[in-house]
Amino acid sequence: MLVYKNEMRIGPKDDRSHRKIPFTLHRPYKGLQIAFSYTPKQTAVEIAGIGETAADNLITVSLACEDDYIGAYHNPNPEQVLRIAGDASSPGFIRYPVRAGAWELQLAMHAVLSEVLIELAVEVFG
Amino acid sequence: MRYVPVETHAHTLHSDGSFTFEALVEQAKTFGYAGLMLTDHNTRSAAEGYRGDFPVLGGEEWTTFYGHLLVAGDAGNTDWRTLLPENIDTVLRQLKVNGAVTGMAHPFATGWPFCTGCRWEFPVTDWDAVGYIEIWNRDEPQEQQASEDAFGLWLAKLKEGYRIAVSAGRDWHRPEKSGRLPAVSYLGMQDIVSAEAIRKAMAKGNLYITLGPTLGYRLQQGERSLYLGDVMEQAPVMLEAQIGKTEIEALLQRPVSHVVFRLLNNETVLKESADHALQWEGVPAPGYLRLEAAGEVSSQICRYLISSPIYVR
């Protein structure tokens, strides 16, 4: 079941900020899947004393359920599929039963150096 | 007290490293470390459920927009996303109360936009809460200006009266390029090496850093033996210290030609020796004592061993 799906257009004004995406699950599920991507990964920036050079946009996903921090995947891959479940989770996330309650995904905009398109979808299953 | 090599800054594929957790532990054993601090970016998932014999202190590298903070040894229930420039002192103090050891990672690395937060920008005012400064980061730190800058920051804060240890972190993400060697942190252990013993040594500042050679010392104040990180009274002390050969085979590839061994008290040299040993007896001034050794490494004269301080009330 799709819980959240959105395309976000962000830019340098969003650089070094967190975007909170809360959602509620009304019953437990076997697993949760986050499909996350952004483009472009690399862009050109003007640096004083260096001139124009290439640098990477970097956005990461972290996840919490109520007061429990479940993890983050701090990795430069701009296309990620992240799974959470009680018996196994993707690297970066602890094993965690997908329970009913208030969940929150956060996007950490570590570097947003150009206009960036983010695609994000959260699904639960089982 | 014996000092053992422990890697204090390491990553896996649970963040942006290429090691599995198991491969990291195997690499650490092979290199000759006695233990490891696991510090993936913003997660502790790699060591979840770990019950192995090799001591691993769980932690993470809080990879924030304004600095990278190494946090280990606590329950991990403080959320890195709450750390902001306006609450850095409060959060550092709270982490300490929670049993965490904390350290500034690579404070003078290149930062935004190439590596956001890699350069420390948090406006710390309570430097006692920092814990330690990773003055040597990655391989061949003696070649990096960032190491000198971090060393300068550490000395400046010691001179202001703060109590801060030093660390060397390999910031181990993957095998280094051939021929590139790390520095090593040696941590003081009372008996067996364990995750808790690593936590205690880091929390106390009972460690020294080296490009290879080891440090042995005996510091006595009356009947009391003193160790790095201890606080002592201003009273007569007797020190005997020696530099030994590296115990780590890989580090033999980077020969160190000894030049000088020093005991410093608030940066005043109390004793200097061209030998690998020194002795000193006297009453130090209030502040701190520390040991360092310099020598020729790859045709460059540099510090090759730096101890965390012992503090004098």
Side-chain angles (χ1 to χ4, degrees):
Chain A
M1 183 183 81
L2 192 63
V3 173
Y4 178 90
K5 185 174 170 67
N6 200 6
E7 283 188 1
M8 286 167 260
R9 290 179 193 279
I10 60 166
K13 67 179 186 334
D14 300 296
D15 185 58
R16 284 174 284 180
S17 67
H18 292 280
R19 187 164 295 197
K20 296 179 179 180
I21 298 166
F23 58 93
T24 303
L25 297 181
H26 297 288
R27 70 166 181 89
Y29 291 88
K30 265 192 175 165
L32 179 149
Q33 178 172 292
I34 300 163
F36 165 68
S37 66
Y38 59 93
T39 186
K41 176 177 165 60
Q42 196 173 72
T43 189
V45 288
E46 190 74 27
I47 303 291
I50 298 177
E52 190 174 286
T53 186
D56 286 347
N57 291 310
L58 177 65
I59 303 166
T60 63
V61 169
S62 59
L63 187 69
C65 176
E66 300 189 347
D67 290 334
D68 297 338
Y69 180 71
I70 299 169
Y73 188 48
H74 189 98
N75 187 283
N77 184 349
E79 291 187 23
Q80 300 175 5
V81 177
L82 309 167
R83 294 185 181 88
I84 311 299
D87 55 353
S89 291
S90 296
F93 300 89
I94 57 170
R95 295 187 288 272
Y96 193 85
V98 180
R99 59 189 173 95
W103 289 68
E104 186 182 79
L105 184 155
Q106 282 196 27
L107 297 178
M109 317 288 189
H110 294 274
V112 181
L113 310 173
S114 64
E115 298 304 311
V116 172
L117 174 66
I118 299 172
E119 293 183 295
L120 178 66
V122 180
E123 290 180 83
V124 287
F125 52 89
Chain B
M1 184 73 64
R2 65 194 172 109
Y3 285 82
V4 299
V6 172
E7 175 44 41
T8 59
H9 188 164
H11 298 269
T12 71
L13 50 67
H14 282 247
S15 60
D16 57 354
S18 62
F19 297 119
T20 62
F21 175 68
E22 293 75 17
L24 176 67
V25 167
E26 284 310 308
Q27 290 273 328
K29 286 181 187 171
T30 301
F31 186 79
Y33 294 117
L36 188 65
M37 286 169 63
L38 181 69
T39 55
D40 266 316
H41 299 285
N42 299 333
T43 185
R44 301 185 184 207
S45 57
E48 190 184 9
Y50 175 64
R51 298 280 184 273
D53 293 335
F54 188 74
V56 176
L57 182 66
E60 61 199 282
E61 183 176 9
W62 282 16
T63 304
T64 79
F65 307 145
Y66 308 103
H68 289 193
L69 179 71
L70 297 161
V71 179
D74 58 335
N77 47 15
T78 311
D79 189 334
W80 66 275
R81 300 169 302 180
T82 62
L83 181 59
L84 298 167
E86 53 267 34
N87 66 14
I88 179 72
D89 288 331
T90 308
V91 172
L92 284 171
R93 285 192 284 257
Q94 189 57 51
L95 284 165
K96 209 171 194 174
V97 168
N98 294 349
V101 292
T102 54
M104 292 170 64
H106 44 64
F108 288 90
T110 302
W112 184 92
F114 302 105
C115 182
T116 301
C118 286
R119 193 176 189 89
W120 187 271
E121 295 177 278
F122 281 113
V124 174
T125 58
D126 181 4
W127 286 83
D128 281 333
V130 165
Y132 61 94
I133 300 176
E134 185 186 68
I135 67 168
W136 286 350
N137 175 258
R138 300 217 175 203
D139 53 70
E140 309 298 350
Q142 76 282 5
E143 297 175 357
Q144 301 168 27
Q145 181 58 40
S147 301
E148 279 301 299
D149 293 342
F151 179 76
L153 171 67
W154 176 59
L155 285 195
K157 295 306 165 190
L158 289 181
K159 287 179 196 166
E160 288 172 30
Y162 295 104
R163 293 174 181 172
I164 309 179
V166 289
S167 77
R170 193 166 179 167
D171 209 347
W172 211 2
H173 285 76
R174 51 193 58 81
E176 288 93 352
K177 287 178 190 160
S178 176
R180 304 287 294 176
L181 293 166
V184 177
S185 295
Y186 272 77
L187 277 56
M189 301 283 145
Q190 280 290 8
D191 39 59
I192 61 160
V193 184
S194 65
E196 177 57 13
I198 292 171
R199 192 196 68 78
K200 279 186 177 165
M202 295 300 289
K204 191 178 172 194
N206 189 5
L207 73 157
Y208 70 88
I209 62 176
T210 177
L211 296 180
T214 55
L215 173 67
Y217 69 92
R218 192 167 72 88
L219 181 63
Q220 288 291 134
Q221 189 167 60
E223 296 297 305
R224 185 185 176 201
S225 297
L226 294 156
Y227 302 103
L228 304 178
D230 275 343
V231 181
M232 66 182 195
E233 301 303 325
Q234 191 190 16
V237 290
M238 189 278 296
L239 172 74
E240 293 175 347
Q242 316 83 36
I243 302 284
K245 289 180 181 163
T246 184
E247 302 165 338
I248 296 176
E249 198 178 334
L251 297 182
L252 294 170
Q253 308 292 316
R254 181 176 55 203
V256 173
S257 177
H258 177 77
V259 173
V260 67
F261 188 17
R262 295 188 192 99
L263 170 68
L264 300 106
N265 180 201
N266 308 331
E267 297 317 297
T268 298
V269 177
L270 293 182
K271 188 73 185 257
E272 197 167 61
S273 168
D275 294 332
H276 288 80
L278 63 73
Q279 292 186 338
W280 184 79
E281 282 185 61
V283 180
Y288 62 90
L289 292 170
R290 67 179 188 87
L291 288 158
E292 70 173 28
E296 189 176 330
V297 181
S298 309
S299 308
Q300 175 193 353
I301 299 291
C302 61
R303 290 178 193 84
Y304 69 80
L305 187 150
I306 302 170
S307 81
S308 291
I310 294 161
Y311 305 96
V312 186
R313 253 195 268 270

